[in-house]
Every structure is written in structure tokens, then in C-alpha cells.
Amino acid sequence: MASLSGLSSSSSTFLFPPRTTLTHLYALPRGPNLHLKKALSIKSLQSTELDPSLSPEVHTFWKWLRDEGVISNKTPARPGVVPEGLGLIAQRDIARNEVVLEIPKRLWINPDTVSASEIGNVCNGLKPWIAVALFLLREKFRDDSLWRLYFDILPKQTNSTVFWSEEELSELQGTQLLSTTLGVKEYVVSEFKKLEEEVILPNKKLFPSPITIDDFFWAFGILRSRAFSRMRAQNLVLIPLVDFINHSHKVASEEHAWEVKGPAGLFSWDYLFSLRSPIPVKAGEQVVIQYDINKSNAELALDYGFIDPLVERNAYTLTLEISESDPFYGDKLDIAEANGWSETAYFDIFLNRPLPPAMLPYLRLVALGGTDAFLLETIFRNSILGHLEYPISHANEELICRVVRQACKSALSGYNTTIEEDEKLKGEKLESRLEIAVGIRQGEKKVLQQIDGMFKERELELNELEYYQERRLKDLGLCGEQGDIIFWEPK
């Protein structure tokens, strides 16, 4: 009998730092003593263009951008206090697809910035995010860094689950997000140890200020939550001021949110990151975008430290595996690889959405055995995928249903609360991280119940399904529409 794996978490494509204490990163550097005729007050640093309740660091940052020629009185959006913390507030009505900000490439921080810097040579061969994270930390400790005032406004940490305490993480008991978060922490620790041994310690002249694992966690968290990707020729870029913009579930598309403009004309020698508003915005409202339409709530919590109210964001990852102990392991693996699969396959199942199209064919392949094993023979290699699109046999389909339902029940038993208990908690005023935890675990459980319900319904239909042998007899004209076998008698 073929083996099916249970449900478990899949690996993350981009990993994060664990919880750290980073107050020392925000100590202002010591400079020469200043003897002023008039005391420098907080009020004197404030810009009349911005909300006076914003911190002095934000006011100073805004002045730096003005001095750099990035913003002017005509800039349609400015920093402001919003429910998320900081955001961009429209100063006038902004039309859909209208340019909100344009930031020149000389202020971007990306792998090209690292390559052109003093540490470019020692960063050759590093993963892009590691090189940029190392650059961030070196620049942060430099008094003369171009981005000094930008670093001063960056958060110490976010609500990302990688910054949660053990007590806070305990609220995620049983979730895939918990296991993914713990795996991410281990990964980043191992990457830092390697970086420290191979780059930081052998180059103390380039890195005179000590860089700790806490510092590295901070830099990685900043990149994961604020960097833009999937732009033209830019896979990882941090852009001052643009990263103030927040996500909204009300924006249903990622289109028209930004573009990279190349040098144009005699007076423009720099690339520009052009941020546009994907929806119309009234004066005084927050300018928002869609971060990623395809991310699940678990991914949003891991990356940014929030979850989306849209229930369709709730997901669970089904992990399927061709077991090495399967007597047909080699044949199944050959078929899987020939059809773009592998030994292990991950299927993200979202609430209120159908199963991924490839999931049932892969399940049938993994479960294939017994009298159905003839489909693994070489003669069927070019056509087996078409056969796997439909039920193979009663036994094969029954095995699929039974194992998937057992796995769902096992996963559901790992949570400390029920859906009803979580629903009751959601009616209360919760601290933000507990609210995320409740939303994540309730969402996962609902998806598991949905999967179980789908395969329960399929179990009830097993006797009504049409299987391979019946389809084959029909193709040969030996079976009627009702499944009855037609006997041919010679005259």
C-alpha cells in the first residue's frame, strides 16, 4: 500500500530573525561637544509642514529629504500618525494611478549599493539579503552615513512572529506558523554564525563596531518587512519614505502601485522609484497599497506582523511525499519528476477556495498500488498524467480520503483551543499579538475543517464515481452510459 504523509508546514522561501533586544542600536552616536548661544529645542527641529505630534526624528528626516530635492511643497502625501503607526497622508485629493512619491536611485539601498561601497569586495558571493543586511548595520554605526537620518526613524522591531516572546509564541501552539517561525530563527542564527566567521571577524577594519546576532536580526527584520521586490531588475531594494506606505485589504490588486523609471532627457540622469496610488484618495486619508495579493495570513504575520481581515487569506499547507519505503518508489518518482513534481510536494489550501488543481493527481500517484500498479508500467508513462486527473479505482480513492481525513483530525487535535473559543476571544479587545495568534489558529482550523469536509463528501460519493476500468470499457464500446457491461454475441 502506498504511503501518504500527514499535514505539516512547508519550508519558507525567505527567512527571518528571532526576537531580540535592540535598544542599544538606537543610541545616538556621540559627536563633538557643541556650545550654542541658544539651547536647541525639540520645537526648533519641527517642520511646519508635518503633524507636530510626529517625533523629532521624523521631522529631521523630512528636512533631509527636502534638502536632497526629493520632496517639495507640491508633494501630495506626507508622513502622519495612523492606526498602524506611521503612514502617508494625502494632502489633497489624489486620483487613481497618480504619482505620490518619486525617489532617486542614489537614495536606494540594494545589492548594487553594497557592491559600490567599501565592503563590496568582501560581500561578493553572499546572498543578496545578507549583503544588504550587513551594509545596513555598517552604515547604521557610521556617523557620516548618507542614510543616518533614515536609520533613526526605523522601528526597533515589528509585530512579526520572529520577535515574539516564548509566552506569546505559546498562543500559536499547534499552528504551522509556530513551526515555521522556529525554523526561521534557527536558519538566521546559522547564517549569522557563518557570516561572522567568514566575513565580519576577518575584516575588522571594515567592521570596527561589533555586530551581534541581535543586530543582524534587526537588519533582517527591516528588510523583510520594508524592502520592495519583483521590480524591473530589482529583487531587493529598501527605499526611504516610500516604505512608510501601509497595506490595505481594500486594495484588490498590486497593479499600478509602483514602477521604476529610467533616465529621461538631458536633466534626468538617475533612475526613479515612482510610487502611485492604486485607488482614489481623499485629502486627509491614508495612501495605501496591496502588499501581496497571494500571501496567506501566516505569511503576512511572519513578514509584517499583521493579518488581513479577508477570510480567504487563511490557509493550510498540505505536504505530500512519496515514501522511500514504497515498493514502487522509483517508478513514482520518475513519473513525478517527468511531470514537474518531486518526491515531496506542498499544496497551499485557502479557505473558501477549491483544492489546487494538481493536488488530487499527485495524491492518486502517491496512493497508487495493488492491482492499480499496472499504470506505473513504461507503456503508460506518456499518458499516466491524463489518467491521474480522474479517479483510478475505488480502493485508491478511498485510501486518499481516509488518510487525508485522519491527518486533518490529527492536526486539529494539536491546538489548545477550539474554533468557538477563538471566536469568543475575537469579540474581546485583545493585545495586537494575541489578536494575530487567535486569528491565525482559528483560520488554520477552519481550513482543516474545510479539507476534512471536502474528503468526507468525496467518501460518500465513492460508489457513484467513474473509475479507470469503466472509462476504458466505454472507450472500447464495451460499457453503457449507466456502467453496465455490454456483451457481444456472434450471430
Side-chain angles (χ1 to χ4, degrees):
M1 182 180 292
S3 65
L4 290 166
S5 75
L7 298 176
S8 62
S9 62
S10 65
S11 59
S12 175
T13 56
F14 196 88
L15 301 180
F16 291 68
R19 176 180 173 80
T20 56
T21 303
L22 297 166
T23 52
H24 65 283
L25 284 179
Y26 279 76
L28 294 175
R30 293 184 178 181
N33 292 327
L34 298 177
H35 300 282
L36 303 173
K37 293 181 179 180
K38 184 177 180 181
L40 186 64
S41 68
I42 295 295
K43 187 174 181 180
S44 67
L45 293 175
Q46 290 182 338
S47 167
T48 56
E49 300 173 8
L50 300 184
D51 183 342
S53 66
L54 290 169
S55 69
E57 289 81 7
V58 175
H59 283 266
T60 307
F61 171 67
W62 186 253
K63 183 179 183 301
W64 170 64
L65 292 175
R66 178 176 283 281
D67 292 342
E68 290 287 335
V70 173
I71 54 96
S72 69
N73 291 333
K74 294 182 179 180
T75 303
R78 295 173 186 172
V81 178
V82 296
E84 296 88 344
L86 289 176
L88 293 176
I89 304 297
Q91 300 304 297
R92 57 171 174 77
D93 290 354
I94 298 175
R96 178 181 180 274
N97 206 29
E98 182 179 345
V99 173
V100 177
L101 297 169
E102 289 190 327
I103 309 296
K105 189 175 182 180
R106 59 188 169 84
L107 297 184
W108 303 0
I109 300 175
N110 62 5
D112 291 341
T113 313
V114 181
S115 297
S117 72
E118 294 177 352
I119 66 171
N121 288 336
V122 299
C123 289
N124 286 336
L126 294 178
K127 296 173 184 176
W129 67 263
I130 293 180
V132 176
L134 189 57
F135 177 83
L136 283 180
L137 291 171
R138 185 174 186 271
E139 291 297 302
K140 186 167 180 60
F141 292 130
R142 293 179 58 185
D143 296 349
D144 61 347
S145 172
L146 172 64
W147 297 274
R148 172 78 259 167
L149 299 177
Y150 172 57
F151 294 145
D152 287 343
I153 66 167
L154 291 176
K156 298 176 183 179
Q157 60 177 240
T158 70
N159 273 339
S160 164
T161 53
V162 297
F163 293 111
W164 291 18
S165 67
E166 289 187 12
E167 182 180 357
E168 289 165 338
L169 285 174
S170 68
E171 296 292 344
L172 292 173
Q173 181 65 39
T175 66
Q176 291 189 322
L177 178 56
L178 175 59
S179 57
T180 302
T181 300
L182 297 178
V184 160
K185 289 185 175 184
E186 292 179 5
Y187 173 82
V188 177
V189 168
S190 67
E191 289 292 335
F192 175 75
K193 289 180 179 178
K194 182 180 178 182
L195 179 68
E196 184 179 44
E197 180 182 348
E198 297 180 359
V199 179
I200 298 175
L201 294 180
N203 296 281
K204 290 186 177 180
K205 289 185 179 180
L206 290 174
F207 306 102
S209 299
I211 296 177
T212 68
I213 196 167
D214 289 348
D215 301 330
F216 188 64
F217 289 160
W218 171 83
F220 194 29
I222 289 296
L223 284 178
R224 191 55 190 166
S225 62
R226 306 179 83 86
F228 286 81
S229 62
R230 294 178 288 116
M231 300 190 307
R232 184 180 69 184
Q234 297 292 330
N235 292 324
L236 178 68
V237 56
L238 200 60
I239 305 176
L241 185 60
V242 171
D243 59 358
F244 274 50
I245 197 160
N246 291 311
H247 163 89
S248 174
H249 69 279
K250 296 179 181 179
V251 181
S253 172
E254 298 173 55
E255 296 180 0
H256 310 301
W258 62 77
E259 65 175 328
V260 175
K261 295 181 178 179
L266 296 175
F267 304 102
S268 177
W269 298 95
D270 208 349
Y271 283 88
L272 293 173
F273 179 94
S274 181
L275 178 70
R276 298 171 179 272
S277 178
I279 57 175
V281 182
K282 295 291 185 182
E285 294 179 348
Q286 186 179 180
V287 183
V288 292
I289 61 173
Q290 168 63 239
Y291 281 4
D292 193 324
I293 199 73
N294 296 315
K295 283 190 175 181
S296 68
N297 264 338
E299 291 173 308
L300 293 177
L302 186 65
D303 291 359
Y304 309 109
F306 67 79
I307 57 176
D308 201 304
L310 296 177
V311 295
E312 290 80 6
R313 291 275 193 177
N314 294 314
Y316 201 91
T317 301
L318 174 67
T319 304
L320 305 177
E321 184 179 48
I322 303 171
S323 172
E324 292 186 9
S325 63
D326 190 320
F328 305 107
Y329 171 77
D331 291 328
K332 291 181 179 181
L333 184 58
D334 288 344
I335 292 169
E337 292 178 343
N339 290 283
W341 298 325
S342 61
E343 181 179 1
T344 303
Y346 304 102
F347 296 98
D348 296 327
I349 303 169
F350 287 81
L351 194 62
N352 297 339
R353 298 189 200 174
L355 297 175
M359 190 177 121
L360 282 175
Y362 193 91
L363 270 167
R364 291 178 183 127
L365 175 65
V366 174
L368 208 58
T371 58
D372 299 323
F374 71 92
L375 286 172
L376 298 172
E377 295 176 6
T378 306
I379 191 174
F380 290 100
R381 289 298 167 89
N382 294 330
S383 61
I384 189 170
L385 184 60
H387 295 311
L388 293 172
E389 293 286 343
Y390 304 97
I392 299 299
S393 68
H394 190 289
N396 182 271
E397 209 73 8
E398 183 180 35
L399 175 60
I400 289 171
C401 294
R402 184 173 70 250
V403 174
V404 170
R405 294 198 65 198
Q406 287 175 349
C408 287
K409 288 179 173 61
S410 176
L412 284 166
S413 68
Y415 298 94
N416 290 335
T417 58
T418 64
I419 289 180
E420 292 72 26
E421 289 171 335
D422 289 336
E423 190 64 37
K424 184 177 180 181
L425 283 172
K426 288 177 72 173
E428 303 175 6
K429 186 173 179 59
L430 303 176
E431 186 272 335
S432 60
R433 292 184 177 180
L434 178 56
E435 185 177 15
I436 292 171
V438 172
I440 289 292
R441 68 196 189 206
Q442 185 186 47
E444 285 192 7
K445 284 178 278 193
K446 286 184 176 180
V447 178
L448 284 168
Q449 286 189 345
Q450 173 180 286
I451 299 170
D452 180 65
M454 286 178 171
F455 283 88
K456 179 181 180 181
E457 184 176 343
R458 198 164 190 83
E459 276 183 326
L460 298 175
E461 298 173 346
L462 288 177
N463 292 331
E464 301 171 13
L465 297 177
E466 184 178 74
Y467 299 105
Y468 171 81
Q469 294 292 359
E470 294 170 17
R471 293 193 300 273
R472 181 61 176 157
L473 287 172
K474 278 186 179 180
D475 291 341
L476 296 173
L478 300 177
C479 185
E481 292 299 324
Q482 303 302 319
D484 53 314
I485 298 176
I486 300 173
F487 293 95
W488 178 77
E489 297 183 1
K491 293 183 180 179

